[in-house]
Amino acid sequence: MSIQILPGLFLEEDELKVTYILASGPGGQNVNKVATAAQLRFDAARSPALSDRIRTRLIELAGSRATQNGEIIITGRRFRTQQRNREDTIERLAELIRKAAHRPTFRVATRPGKAARQRRLDGKSHRAGIKRNRKVRLDD
């Protein structure tokens, strides 16, 4: 079974390792007995589905969730059931990969035009005039 991240980009289920751990939060007395939090491990460094560009950006975006080996660890404990937490972690990984696959647009730095500079200076002098008129003048 494969998970579609983007058109043309699929992750195989066997690349994802999901384990269950004890979770804090809602669940009442059951929280101490049942391991409902899902911990997803994805080896991004060795995944055949990712291109080199996406792989490096993904590890960079993951930040503290990435290990030295290039493995990404995502923990989900928002919900009370294992299944919902598992789906949540997979969706969060997919969103992270989508963000890594997006190419940021290249911005060319431009200078403000002459009219824009003049409007800025006019606005500054207008404010200065307002503040100058607020001063109390003492006539001798």
Side-chain angles (χ1 to χ4, degrees):
M1 176 99 182
S2 59
I3 303 161
Q4 183 175 4
I5 306 297
L6 291 169
L9 179 61
F10 295 90
L11 282 184
E12 295 299 323
E13 286 268 348
D14 60 344
E15 288 188 66
L16 308 176
K17 296 176 190 79
V18 180
T19 55
Y20 299 99
I21 55 176
L22 289 176
S24 60
Q29 294 173 347
N30 208 31
V31 77
N32 298 323
K33 295 184 285 185
V34 182
T36 55
Q39 189 175 57
L40 177 123
R41 290 176 170 267
F42 173 65
D43 196 357
R46 291 170 205 56
S47 176
L50 303 177
S51 67
D52 289 336
R53 182 186 67 79
I54 294 174
R55 180 177 294 118
T56 55
R57 186 143 159 77
L58 176 63
I59 292 172
E60 178 185 312
L61 284 175
S64 63
R65 292 175 288 191
T67 63
Q68 292 287 328
N69 310 6
E71 193 173 47
I72 296 173
I73 302 170
I74 298 175
T75 305
R77 55 172 57 105
R78 275 193 263 195
F79 303 103
R80 290 184 184 213
T81 63
Q82 285 183 347
Q83 185 62 29
R84 295 266 314 267
N85 283 326
R86 180 180 188 278
E87 291 166 0
D88 180 46
T89 56
I90 292 171
E91 184 53 41
R92 284 169 46 201
L93 175 68
E95 189 57 39
L96 193 64
I97 294 172
R98 282 186 206 106
K99 192 185 267 188
H102 176 69
R103 283 203 167 134
T105 55
F106 182 71
R107 183 188 178 280
V108 178
T110 57
R111 292 176 55 200
K114 189 173 183 178
R117 285 195 301 262
Q118 189 60 47
R119 281 192 304 271
R120 181 179 144 266
L121 293 175
D122 290 344
K124 284 170 72 83
S125 61
H126 178 72
R127 284 302 302 166
I130 290 171
K131 290 183 178 189
R132 197 178 319 114
N133 290 336
R134 287 185 192 153
K135 288 184 179 177
V136 178
R137 295 186 187 144
L138 297 175
D139 291 331
D140 290 320

